[in-house]
Amino acid sequence: MARVTVEDCVLKIPNRFDLVLMAAQRARDISSGASLTIDRDDDKNPVVALREIADETVPLASLEEALVKGHQKLAEIDEADEEIIELMAGEEEWLKAGVAPQSPAAAVGSDEESTFGIDAAEDETEEGEAAEDEDGRGDLEIGSTEDDI
């Protein structure tokens, strides 16, 4: 790399660190198949990039924009993600209003499984009330006597 080339480039891009980044970006672009704006003359890609910058045959603004885009790590948001975000915003409104959303655990299992315990508890209370009504001993379990207590 010729010293003259670097000195010419520093006149166009005063900060040497920016110059290195932009020349490296242009050299990567050339390696990936971008068209050359000057003759190669058996020079390698970094030297060609510096010569293009020195001759101002490459727009520096677009080169800087490509450099910034290459270093950004931004995840693209799908439309489905946007819907989820909107639903989550609705949950915040519910929480402010004092209404709690349904827990996902309530939906686990079939209808028979979820009502089985309730039906059994209702049956026990009905039997207990019936036993209390018959002999007045509602405290006792079925099949037990007063001696067991």
Side-chain angles (χ1 to χ4, degrees):
M1 186 170 356
R3 180 172 299 207
V4 175
T5 306
V6 174
E7 289 176 358
D8 293 339
C9 291
V10 170
L11 296 175
K12 309 299 185 223
I13 303 173
N15 188 338
R16 289 181 182 259
F17 297 105
D18 290 340
L19 173 62
V20 168
L21 289 173
M22 294 178 79
Q25 179 65 37
R26 179 62 185 155
R28 282 191 292 271
D29 292 345
I30 292 169
S31 295
S32 66
S35 61
L36 300 176
T37 58
I38 60 170
D39 293 330
R40 182 177 282 276
D41 295 332
D42 287 335
D43 290 330
K44 294 184 180 179
N45 292 341
V47 175
V48 172
L50 286 170
R51 287 180 47 214
E52 287 178 340
I53 291 172
D55 293 342
E56 294 182 359
T57 58
V58 176
L60 298 179
S62 64
L63 191 59
E64 186 174 359
E65 184 178 327
L67 178 66
V68 170
K69 278 188 177 182
H71 285 89
Q72 284 180 339
K73 297 195 189 306
L74 178 64
E76 294 182 20
I77 297 177
D78 294 336
E79 291 179 16
D81 292 342
E82 290 175 0
E83 292 175 11
I84 292 171
I85 291 170
E86 289 175 9
L87 291 173
M88 290 173 70
E91 287 180 3
E92 290 176 7
E93 293 173 6
W94 291 346
L95 293 175
K96 288 178 183 175
V99 178
Q102 292 181 349
S103 67
V108 176
S110 67
D111 289 341
E112 293 176 13
E113 291 174 342
S114 61
T115 59
F116 178 74
I118 295 172
D119 291 340
E122 288 176 2
D123 293 341
E124 289 177 11
T125 57
E126 289 174 5
E127 289 174 8
E129 290 172 1
E132 185 178 334
D133 292 340
E134 291 175 6
D135 60 359
R137 297 182 296 175
D139 301 312
L140 300 177
E141 295 180 13
I142 299 175
S144 65
T145 63
E146 289 182 11
D147 297 335
D148 293 338
I149 298 177

